Amino acid sequence: MARDKHSDRKADKKSKPDGPDPIRRRNSAQKSAKATAKKGRGRQPVGRTDVVEHMTVPQDSTGKALSLPSGTVDLTAIKTGGTPVGPRNKREAAAMMAELAPELAGLQERLVAESIRGGRRRILLILQGMDTSGKDGVVKHVLGLVNPAGVHLTSFKKPTAVERGHDFLWRIHNQVPLAGQIGVFNRSQYEDVLVVRVHDLVPKEVWSKRYAQINAFERKLVREGTVIVKCFLHISKDTQRERLAARLDDPTKYWKYNPGDLVERAFWVSYQEAYADALRRCNTVGAPWFVIPSDRKWYRNWAIASLLLEALRELDPQYPPADFDIDTERRLLAES
């Protein structure tokens, strides 16, 4: 993951599913949708200081299937090409994306409308992953399903001189979505426990304290009405090689290739260890991590779209009532 280039790559290998995942849920996507439609958000007392308010995850939901298990994190045990829930092939994924798109857009519009009358709620989608894992692809194919006027996108790159003069969360605070928005962080505060750790940019005693700071920051956001959807786009080293090679084979994709990506690729094991620790230590109740199998772009996009839809269904935003007399306004309009 190049420190000075955080844009994701979109080259893909047209692969076919290797068969149903052993842990595949047998429920259909429509049953999953119905299971989430009436679920609400609540709070759950906890004993851990790094845990925030609870976000209900329905038993048969995409969120349930892709939630990071508690305890030790072994990324090698989680399939990068699995399909644990939802579509089994590219055609099914396309059909399911087309089916969920209208509801996703409608709920987003209601979230925006709600904020016009003082609603405070918003969604923050955090995308993290190795180079070529598909962060930009998610922005294009998933956020492209909703009204861009209600989306606040931030791609965090190498900190500027001004940003380095502040606490590492300063630039993050400045990009938190407003009420009614879907905020998207293409990379995020987690870069400061990943890149800085792998490349020893700050002492361990500094970056090791940042997990607690991140948890406190996310806890504050949740209490202020933010639903946080944190997605780790999980790809294999072989898939990354294939996607990088595809850029070298296509003149129209040379601009996507960065020789520095190979430098970062050499630190693959160190990055996997850093990610495992970040996922484990920041997998809180109010801001859980979802691990998205991302070797197949069609599955990655469907999974994150489905997670967003579930989050919006749980919020269940409503159009606000008129704050004026409708009959009077109709009469005045007719007379105008």
Side-chain angles (χ1 to χ4, degrees):
M1 166 186 336
R3 179 58 177 165
D4 60 353
K5 185 175 181 181
H6 294 292
S7 60
D8 189 34
R9 323 297 191 230
K10 304 172 187 173
D12 188 28
K13 174 189 175 186
K14 291 186 177 179
S15 56
K16 295 183 178 180
D18 53 4
D21 215 15
I23 63 170
R24 168 179 288 281
R25 307 296 195 265
R26 296 296 180 182
N27 60 289
S28 68
Q30 290 188 347
K31 287 182 179 179
S32 173
K34 291 177 182 177
T36 63
K38 299 299 182 182
K39 295 291 182 177
R41 295 176 59 81
R43 294 188 178 184
Q44 173 179 317
V46 293
R48 291 165 48 194
T49 59
D50 65 336
V51 176
V52 295
E53 288 86 345
H54 179 63
M55 183 174 83
T56 302
V57 179
Q59 287 298 310
D60 293 324
S61 69
T62 304
K64 178 69 175 179
L66 300 179
S67 291
L68 179 74
S70 59
T72 302
V73 175
D74 180 6
L75 291 176
T76 64
I78 303 175
K79 289 186 176 182
T80 57
T83 56
V85 66
R88 297 171 184 264
N89 55 56
K90 190 173 184 177
R91 178 174 294 183
E92 282 186 13
M96 292 171 72
M97 287 283 278
E99 183 177 354
L100 66 78
E103 185 182 3
L104 186 65
L107 286 167
Q108 183 220 17
E109 180 178 89
R110 283 157 52 180
L111 183 65
V112 172
E114 182 182 85
S115 70
I116 299 300
R117 294 291 186 268
R120 300 169 53 219
R121 302 186 296 177
R122 76 289 308 267
I123 290 178
L124 175 58
L125 173 64
I126 293 177
L127 304 174
Q128 283 288 159
M130 297 293 287
D131 284 327
T132 78
S133 60
K135 296 177 288 295
D136 282 348
V138 169
V139 171
K140 177 179 179 181
H141 296 287
V142 177
L143 279 304
L145 300 176
V146 300
N147 188 339
V151 176
H152 180 69
L153 169 65
T154 307
S155 295
F156 289 101
K157 302 182 182 298
K158 181 179 180 180
T160 65
V162 172
E163 290 170 340
R164 288 196 299 271
H166 295 269
D167 175 82
F168 80 101
L169 285 173
W170 179 79
R171 66 176 185 160
I172 309 297
H173 275 286
N174 290 339
Q175 298 300 330
V176 169
L178 300 176
Q181 291 182 329
I182 295 178
V184 185
F185 283 178
N186 184 337
R187 302 187 188 273
S188 67
Q189 59 269 23
Y190 288 96
E191 293 296 289
D192 286 283
V193 291
L194 296 168
V195 176
V196 298
R197 168 178 169 167
V198 170
H199 291 290
D200 199 25
L201 299 179
V202 299
K204 181 177 180 179
E205 57 266 27
V206 174
W207 61 254
S208 62
K209 296 177 181 178
R210 290 177 174 172
Y211 301 110
Q213 291 174 286
I214 289 172
N215 288 338
F217 166 67
E218 293 177 354
R219 181 184 301 115
K220 180 176 183 292
L221 291 184
V222 170
R223 287 174 176 166
E224 292 174 347
T226 306
V227 176
I228 302 177
V229 182
K230 299 190 298 194
C231 297
F232 171 58
L233 279 55
H234 190 31
I235 62 169
S236 67
K237 193 174 183 181
D238 286 343
T239 295
Q240 187 189 66
R241 180 189 296 112
E242 292 163 0
R243 292 181 181 176
L244 290 173
R247 295 173 190 163
L248 295 174
D249 294 337
D250 185 349
T252 68
K253 296 178 180 177
Y254 290 165
W255 64 276
K256 295 182 179 181
Y257 188 85
N258 178 9
D261 291 343
L262 292 185
V263 176
E264 295 302 295
R265 182 173 163 80
F267 291 91
W268 183 276
V269 172
S270 295
Y271 271 114
Q272 296 299 297
E273 293 173 351
Y275 264 113
D277 275 353
L279 295 174
R280 176 181 62 83
R281 299 185 66 171
C282 297
N283 188 37
T284 59
V285 177
W289 274 106
F290 300 101
V291 180
I292 314 298
S294 298
D295 279 357
R296 298 186 175 96
K297 292 184 177 183
W298 53 263
Y299 188 81
R300 174 202 69 204
N301 294 338
W302 171 83
I304 296 178
S306 182
L307 288 173
L308 269 183
L309 181 58
E310 288 180 356
L312 280 164
R313 282 173 172 163
E314 287 182 354
L315 283 179
D316 192 24
Q318 300 296 316
Y319 288 114
D323 58 355
F324 49 83
D325 185 81
I326 298 174
D327 290 337
T328 297
E329 294 304 311
R330 282 177 176 158
R331 177 178 57 79
L332 293 172
L333 177 62
E335 296 172 352
S336 66

